[in-house]
Structure formats: structure tokens, C-alpha cells
Amino acid sequence: MSSDDLLIRAQSLGKCYQLYQKPHHRLLQTLFYGRKQFFQEFWALQDISFELRRGESLGVLGRNGAGKSTLLQLLSGVLTPTTGQIEVKGRVAALLELGSGFNPEFTGRENAYLNGSILGLTHEEIDEAMPEIERFAGVGDFFDQPVKLYSSGMMLRVAFAVQVQLKPDILIVDEALAVGDVIFQKRCFERIRELLSGGTSLIFVTHDTESVRTFTQKGILLDHGHLVTSGDSKSVLATYQQMILEEEKQYLENYV
């Protein structure tokens, strides 16, 4: 397999945040820079390495707070790493936090144009894609109403409809699909299958282990910002399920 097929390479990736107990400590840190530390370090991710090639699908597993969303934000360019390197090739479509990039005062149609332009589509390309975006979103007359009137499910419909029109090299999907109704989820999964068959690579974060088993070939398991294991999705899922069982057993022993 050629190097041209390598779309993502993460090497020793880490993300650290500075936590301040009091607001004025930020000012003191600036004044005493290099001489005294007024913050505590919190490493959301540490020493994460993996690769993803064209057409591959990767499931990212872990409990809440494991670092999954931080990893996706690094991959999509929302965050920059504190340590390590990350290389991403090709066009990336990311469905992360609902409403991110949406102006609540704009209509669904206006936000589709706004998001499309942010994602690199020309006005002519968005014009051409707009009938399919409107059809796929399926929000009816609300498409021309301000999105501040939308439910979370309606916002998801428009956001996903715009993202998949990119024909991305890499599709990144967080837990957002969980808020959609069953019919729309099925429609999304069918489109994901079409993209995968066309060579799109998928990074998928969900607590639905069956979806990981169905849609992903590879997996990585995170815990408190560290990489626990990586490999084929079935073996990673087995490790994840065993970890959950052990945590549940420990909880029952300590609190029940």
C-alpha cells in the first residue's frame, strides 16, 4: 500500500490544559512567567499514536472523560496538540458538537451556505448541492426558519446533510448521531456505507458497541487520556467490554 493512502498519522500526541484555582492566577502567571507556576497541568491526552489509511474505518472507544472528544478535535484542527505530531491529508468532514459553526439567527439554508463555505465549497458547489442538502435534512419548511427554533435532532439533520455533501476523504463522527430519530439514523448509516464504499475513511466515536462492530475495522481504546490498546475492532471491543465489567464489579463491591 502506497504512502499516498496514508491519510492520518498521529505520533506521541498529547494535549495539556492549564487549570487555575482562581481567576487572578492567570494574571500572576503572566507576570511571573518562568519563575513561578500558578496552575496545575491536566493532560487530556498523552502519548497517542496511530495511523489511518484510505478506506479504513476506526472506532474510538472509552468511558466519559477518556479523551475521545479531545482526540477528534485535534484531528479536525479545532485544537492544536501540546506534544507530538499529527499529519492529516485530504478533505475532512467533522460532525462533532451539535450547533458548532451554526449562527442561531440564520436559517437552515443560510447556515448550510455558511458551513459549506467554511468547509471549502464554492458558492456554485453549494448551489448545486443545496437541493440534496434540503432533501436529506428533511426538516420541511423549517429549512428557511432560524435554527434557534430547531430541536437538537433538526440541527443534526442539517449539519449532517452539509457534511456529507463534501465527499470527504475523512469523515469524523462523534456522539451527535445519538440525538437523531431511528429513521434518520438509518439514513445516516446508509450514507456512511456509501462513503466508505467510495474510499472515504471513517473515525467513529460512540458508546453503541454494535455500531462500532458494524462500521469499523480498527479500534483504539482510551482511558484517562492514555491509549489502552489498539488493533482490530472486535478485539478492542472485547477489551472495552471487559474493562466495563470490571469497573461495574468494583462499584458493586464498594457501594452496594
Side-chain angles (χ1 to χ4, degrees):
M1 190 173 291
S2 70
S3 59
D4 291 339
D5 289 323
L6 185 61
L7 298 184
I8 295 178
R9 175 187 281 128
Q11 296 177 308
S12 302
L13 205 59
K15 182 62 181 179
C16 182
Y17 293 96
Q18 297 177 352
L19 304 182
Y20 295 88
Q21 291 187 350
K22 297 180 180 179
H24 72 274
H25 285 174
R26 293 181 181 273
L27 175 60
L28 292 175
Q29 185 62 47
T30 302
L31 295 175
F32 288 87
Y33 182 77
R35 289 174 288 167
K36 190 173 181 181
Q37 182 171 304
F38 291 88
F39 62 85
Q40 293 181 329
E41 291 186 343
F42 170 70
W43 285 89
L45 285 177
Q46 276 189 288
D47 197 25
I48 306 298
S49 299
F50 67 93
E51 294 182 348
L52 187 69
R53 296 185 179 275
R54 189 174 303 278
E56 288 184 332
S57 50
L58 174 73
V60 182
L61 296 165
R63 298 290 303 279
N64 291 335
K68 304 186 301 296
S69 294
T70 300
L71 176 59
L72 296 195
Q73 290 173 8
L74 289 170
L75 294 174
S76 60
V78 175
L79 297 176
T80 56
T82 306
T83 59
Q85 295 181 334
I86 182 168
E87 300 175 29
V88 180
K89 297 180 181 178
R91 177 177 278 180
V92 178
L95 190 65
L96 303 178
E97 296 180 11
L98 283 177
S100 58
F102 273 36
N103 186 321
E105 301 297 331
F106 286 8
T107 67
R109 189 183 305 277
E110 290 168 338
N111 272 292
Y113 274 102
L114 174 63
N115 270 244
S117 63
I118 291 173
L119 295 168
L121 295 176
T122 66
H123 196 280
E124 290 73 20
E125 288 175 323
I126 304 173
D127 281 340
E128 184 178 348
M130 191 57 67
E132 176 60 17
I133 293 174
E134 186 173 3
R135 184 200 68 80
F136 193 92
V139 296
D141 293 339
F142 275 93
F143 195 59
D144 289 303
Q145 295 297 322
V147 299
K148 65 183 180 182
L149 303 177
Y150 286 19
S151 66
S152 58
M154 293 166 68
M155 194 172 296
L156 166 66
R157 286 171 175 263
V158 176
F160 190 88
V162 174
Q163 294 285 348
V164 296
Q165 292 307 310
L166 285 171
K167 297 181 176 61
D169 297 294
I170 304 165
L171 176 63
I172 300 176
V173 181
D174 203 344
E175 294 284 0
L177 289 182
V179 305
D181 58 60
V182 175
I183 295 176
F184 186 71
Q185 283 184 5
K186 182 178 180 181
R187 190 184 307 173
C188 291
F189 289 142
E190 287 174 352
R191 181 57 62 89
I192 289 173
R193 286 192 181 94
E194 291 175 7
L195 291 171
L196 287 172
S197 64
T200 294
S201 297
L202 172 68
I203 298 179
F204 192 30
V205 168
T206 178
H207 290 290
D208 182 1
T209 55
E210 191 56 39
S211 294
V212 174
R213 196 186 313 276
T214 301
F215 287 101
T216 64
Q217 306 158 326
K218 302 165 60 177
I220 60 175
L221 174 58
L222 304 178
D223 185 43
H224 293 92
H226 295 275
L227 181 63
V228 177
T229 186
S230 62
D232 67 273
S233 58
K234 290 184 179 179
S235 64
V236 174
L237 272 171
T239 303
Y240 176 58
Q241 291 170 332
Q242 183 61 36
M243 185 175 75
I244 296 300
L245 287 174
E246 289 176 359
E247 289 188 12
E248 185 176 1
K249 180 180 177 182
Q250 185 177 5
Y251 172 80
L252 291 173
E253 290 176 349
N254 293 335
Y255 298 103
V256 178

